[in-house]
Every structure is written in structure tokens, then in C-alpha cells.
Amino acid sequence: MIEVKTKIHDQYSIEFKMGFVTDGQESDFTVGMWFFVPGSLDLTPATFTKTEFYRCVKSNVRLITPRFSLGEVAGGEAYPLKSVRNAAPGDYDYQLKLFCAIVKSSLRDERDKIMDELNSGSDPAGTTRRYISDTLTILDEFLKLPRNDCHRYCCEFLCNVICADTFSLPIESLCREEFLGLLGRIHDIRVENGFATVNPDDREGNKNYIHRRGVLKKYVESHLFLRVPKKRDGFVLEQALFSVAAGLAMLFATVVAWAFQRHFGNLTWPLFIALIISYMMKDRIKELMRYYFAHRISDKHFDNKAKIGLRSQVIGKLQEGMDFIRHGNVPQDVRELRNRSHIFKAESGFIDESVILYRKRVQLDLAKMQNCSNYKLEGINDIIRLQVRPFLRKMDNPEVNVSKIDGEGKVISVPCSKDYFVNIILQYKYGDKTECRRYRLDLNRDGIQSMTEVK
């Protein structure tokens, strides 16, 4: 199956996290991402090329972290801890990093469970106390492991992750004293080991802390990220078709020259003029056919391809492509989903939009994946981050003033936001299943205002 999570990453970029989960049988996945862009933004093949699009897209491919509950990780003979304790010397650092990644994922799931209980009106006190107790147990067991540089870095990473998840909870209204005990324990570990921390009066130190936190995150999670060196797809076929185009153009020029020579003889003015015209037409025919073949190829093939590598194994392959699509070529189910729930009913009567399709195909070899790990691996996450700055180039001012008469009969000016809406439809296929989801991206010249799923 395919699991999709979306979020606004920052003021100018959105993120799609797509989990390609194998079920032991189906491992071929296809994703289409349709962008319906208002015509006033003037995004066309001439103003927004493939090269610029790929500059705006950042994709990270990583393993899905093995899933354990926080209680399972904290259990006395829990598998993640046993894997670290029993690791061979050459594998110890790898197992430390993987353990920390599992803890991070388990903490997030437990935090979300507490918030779900809180939002549903249930009492999350029991879940909260287990969260605190299991976290303290994990810290204590981790500190008993053999020490080296990797252990030190992973310990600091754990302190950062636990603090981030804990502070995202409403501490003041949930087991405040127990939370303070957990945070006090982490503070003691920081002091004992000389780890960086935040100080309200040390701006330079805080800058270094943020930098160090980012480096530690990349260091610990580096084993999850997969090698995906991309290269151009369809190059051989493209060159073969271009050669056919050149051959057909040459055939036209040769036939014209032969026909005129046969009719007028050698070295005559009509033959001379015919040769000039035929060579002019030959070049035009070649370019037109190159253009035709290039666009026919892009509809059927991908722009880039890559082999997905884990350690020394190739565990799958990935292909991606981007094209502008005519409205008539948009699939019926995608078109119907786009046309639902217009903000303004008159929109359905005329839609002046450019349609961009970004598509991916992922194929995984589950057997090879399992050979690379002592954990059960479910699949991979493809984290796609899209920079929206090119969408903003031709927008009007983010705020316009509209005049009206107030209650006292005076003319007043009311500031109103000038926003643009980009509709995004995800269509993903695996096996014989097809699913679609629609999002509305609210933009103005200042950047992203919101992104909501349209049910």
C-alpha cells in the first residue's frame, strides 16, 4: 500500500511523505501528482521548464523505520536493545543509530496517542505516565551500553528528540511533576556529558545548538537514507527516434534532388533552386519531427531513473517524469475530483488553468531488502519537498484595499488578502487499487498561507 502524509515545511515549500509499503506480494507503485495552477500565474512550458521544476523538487528516499511501541522498546529483553547489545564490533555503530531511529519513531507515535486521547475527551493520564516511565527506562538502559563516539552522539540525539516531543505536549495540564522529573533527568545527562543546550542569554551559543542538532539528526539517521543516483531515462530510445527523424529529412531532400535532376538535367537553374529549397525543408522537417518525437516520448516515458541501493545491494528502482498536460488528457476521475467543492460556484463554468503532472514509479525487491537487515523492513519513504517560489513570480500584491460605506455613512478602506489557490490531486496506484486525494494550496506573494485536504 501507499501511505501519504502532507505538511507545510516552511513559508515557501510543502512536503509530501509517501510510504511505499510492500505486503510480500505487490511491490510496484505508481504516483501521479496533478497541479491545477491558475492561468493568471502564467506557468507554461515556455515559462516553467522541466529543468526549473526539478530545481524546485528535493526528494529524499529512506527506509521506513522498523515499528515498535515505546513499551516494546523499553521492555527488559526488547529486540532493539538486544540487537545493540549483541552487535558485532563492526556493526555496533549501525545498530546504535538504528535503535535511536526506532526510539524517535516510537516517541512520536506515543505522543500522538496522548494528543488523540486528549482531543477526544478521554483522560490520557495513564498513557502519559507510561510515556514518561518507558522513556526513563530507555535512557537508563542506553547509558549502560558500551561507550564510544557514536554512543555519545546518539545519546545527545536522544536527549534532543525526547525534549522536542515532550515540550510538544501540554505539560502544565498533564502529569506536570512527572514531566519535570523526566526533563530534569535529561538536563543532568546533558551537564554530565557536556552536551549543548539552549540559553536565553546566549544567541551565538543557541545558533550553534541548532546547527549541532541538525548535524546529529543527519548523522543518526544516515543509515536510513538510501543511495538513489539519478540519471536521464529513455536516452537510447530518444536518440534512435532523432536518428529516424534525420533520416526521413535526408530522404526528402534526396528524393527532391533526384526528381529535379532527372527532369531538368545536371547543373541547371531550376535544379540549383530546388536543391536549396529541399535542404531548407530538410532542416525544418528534422526539427519538427524531433519536436514531435520528444513530446510523444515524454507522454510514455520518464525523465529520470535511479537504482535504489541499500548497503551493497540494489533493492529496487525509481523513475520520475514531469509534463504539462492538456485538460482533455486529464483522467476522468482526476477531473471529477478537481471540479468538486469550488470556492465560488461560477468557477465551474470556466477554468483557466495550467495542468502540471509529476509522476513517479517505484519498484521494490522485498527479498533483497530483508537480506540487508536483521529487522523486518516494510518498505521505503519518499519525502518530496516542493519549492513554490516560481508560482509567486507574477502574483499581485498580497493585500488590496476595497472601499465601502461604514455605519456612519463614511467611506472607509478595508484591507483584503489577495490569494491564489492551487489544487493538487494525488492519484496513487498499487496492485489493482487506485486512490485519489485532493488538497487546496492557498498562496499569495508572501508565500504559503495554508494547505487543506478537500474531502
Side-chain angles (χ1 to χ4, degrees):
M1 64 177 180
I2 301 178
E3 299 174 344
V4 179
K5 294 181 180 179
T6 61
K7 70 176 185 180
I8 297 173
H9 181 266
D10 57 47
Q11 186 179 355
Y12 296 105
S13 61
I14 55 177
E15 183 176 289
F16 298 88
K17 182 179 181 181
M18 289 184 279
F20 300 100
V21 182
T22 63
D23 58 7
Q25 299 175 347
E26 188 57 51
S27 58
D28 195 335
F29 309 93
T30 304
V31 175
M33 195 178 297
W34 304 81
F35 296 87
F36 294 84
V37 185
S40 58
L41 300 186
D42 193 30
L43 285 186
T44 68
T47 61
F48 190 51
T49 63
K50 284 179 182 278
T51 301
E52 186 173 8
F53 176 82
Y54 285 116
R55 276 202 298 263
C56 295
V57 172
K58 181 182 180 182
S59 179
N60 289 319
V61 180
R62 50 174 288 173
L63 290 173
I64 294 176
T65 307
R67 301 184 187 187
F68 294 86
S69 70
L70 199 61
E72 289 174 331
V73 179
E77 290 300 316
Y79 184 73
L81 270 172
K82 285 173 62 178
S83 296
V84 182
R85 293 188 187 117
N86 300 332
D91 197 42
Y92 181 65
D93 288 1
Y94 173 81
Q95 293 296 339
L96 276 175
K97 293 179 182 179
L98 190 52
F99 175 80
C100 289
I102 292 171
V103 172
K104 179 187 174 185
S105 179
S106 302
L107 282 167
R108 180 196 61 220
D109 292 343
E110 200 71 12
R111 178 204 65 197
D112 292 345
K113 185 177 179 181
I114 292 171
M115 293 305 299
D116 288 343
E117 290 181 7
L118 196 64
N119 293 332
S120 66
S122 303
D123 183 4
T127 306
T128 303
R129 289 192 175 94
R130 284 194 299 272
Y131 167 90
I132 296 169
S133 173
D134 290 341
T135 303
L136 285 169
T137 300
I138 290 169
L139 274 174
D140 291 339
E141 293 299 322
F142 187 82
L143 291 171
K144 294 175 185 177
L145 295 171
R147 306 290 184 96
N148 64 4
D149 286 342
C150 182
H151 183 278
R152 177 182 172 82
Y153 297 145
C154 288
C155 184
E156 186 173 357
F157 171 81
L158 281 180
C159 289
N160 293 339
V161 168
I162 293 169
C163 283
D165 280 312
T166 300
F167 281 121
S168 68
L169 293 167
I171 295 174
E172 295 298 328
S173 58
L174 286 174
C175 307
R176 183 176 185 276
E177 294 303 319
E178 289 91 333
F179 271 126
L180 293 179
L182 171 60
L183 295 170
R185 177 75 176 111
I186 293 174
H187 176 74
D188 292 342
I189 294 172
R190 289 186 186 278
V191 172
E192 290 168 10
N193 293 275
F195 296 158
T197 188
V198 174
N199 186 334
D201 301 319
D202 185 2
R203 188 175 181 83
E204 188 67 23
N206 294 343
K207 179 177 69 175
N208 293 333
Y209 167 79
I210 295 298
H211 173 73
R212 184 178 179 87
R213 188 177 68 177
V215 171
L216 286 171
K217 182 178 183 296
K218 291 182 176 65
Y219 172 78
V220 170
E221 297 183 351
S222 59
H223 66 288
L224 293 174
F225 286 93
L226 303 174
R227 291 178 288 103
V228 190
K230 294 180 183 178
K231 61 181 181 180
R232 190 175 172 188
D233 196 14
F235 179 78
V236 174
L237 176 61
E238 180 185 68
Q239 295 305 310
L241 292 176
F242 286 172
S243 297
V244 171
L248 290 174
M250 189 63 197
L251 176 64
F252 168 81
T254 303
V255 168
V256 170
W258 175 78
F260 271 76
Q261 186 177 23
R262 184 174 181 183
H263 184 75
F264 294 106
N266 293 328
L267 301 177
T268 62
W269 278 107
L271 175 63
F272 181 69
I273 294 172
L275 287 174
I276 293 175
I277 294 174
S278 69
Y279 273 89
M280 290 168 59
M281 292 297 295
K282 181 198 77 168
D283 287 340
R284 289 302 89 214
I285 291 171
K286 183 170 75 171
E287 289 306 312
L288 286 171
M289 294 195 70
R290 280 171 61 93
Y291 179 81
Y292 173 79
F293 282 145
H295 282 263
R296 297 288 290 186
I297 289 173
S298 66
D299 289 341
K300 306 296 181 184
H301 295 80
F302 294 87
D303 300 324
N304 302 309
K305 63 181 179 180
K307 294 179 179 178
I308 304 172
L310 174 60
R311 294 190 170 184
S312 59
Q313 287 270 8
V314 175
I315 63 169
K317 64 180 182 179
L318 178 151
Q319 296 167 288
E320 64 178 355
M322 173 268 185
D323 294 286
F324 280 86
I325 305 295
R326 292 192 296 271
H327 278 274
N329 292 338
V330 177
Q332 183 67 24
D333 54 346
V334 174
R335 194 159 55 239
E336 288 177 357
L337 186 56
R338 162 65 189 100
N339 290 334
R340 290 184 203 156
S341 305
H342 287 289
I343 294 176
F344 180 41
K345 188 175 288 188
E347 283 184 290
S348 59
F350 63 96
I351 301 178
D352 177 22
E353 292 178 322
S354 298
V355 183
I356 300 173
L357 171 60
Y358 176 58
R359 55 205 169 95
K360 276 198 171 184
R361 185 182 181 191
V362 175
Q363 295 170 287
L364 298 175
D365 189 324
L366 184 59
K368 289 183 178 179
M369 287 177 60
Q370 290 302 151
N371 290 337
C372 297
S373 177
N374 57 318
Y375 288 91
K376 181 182 178 181
L377 300 178
E378 296 181 334
I380 65 171
N381 283 324
D382 188 2
I383 303 168
I384 302 169
R385 195 175 299 164
L386 175 67
Q387 174 73 244
V388 300
R389 287 182 187 273
F391 292 68
L392 315 181
R393 284 188 298 225
K394 297 188 179 180
M395 288 185 176
D396 294 337
N397 289 330
E399 191 172 272
V400 295
N401 292 315
V402 178
S403 299
K404 67 164 291 182
I405 302 294
D406 67 5
E408 299 176 356
K410 296 180 180 179
V411 177
I412 61 172
S413 182
V414 180
C416 302
S417 296
K418 172 66 173 175
D419 289 11
Y420 300 78
F421 297 94
V422 175
N423 283 274
I424 304 170
I425 294 180
L426 290 182
Q427 182 189 59
Y428 39 99
K429 303 177 182 179
Y430 51 96
D432 57 354
K433 298 180 181 178
T434 300
E435 295 184 37
C436 290
R437 293 169 71 173
R438 175 183 169 189
Y439 301 88
R440 183 181 287 124
L441 184 63
D442 181 354
L443 303 170
N444 65 26
R445 196 192 285 179
D446 290 334
I448 299 169
Q449 304 306 302
S450 68
M451 183 169 69
T452 55
E453 184 172 1
V454 180
K455 299 292 186 180

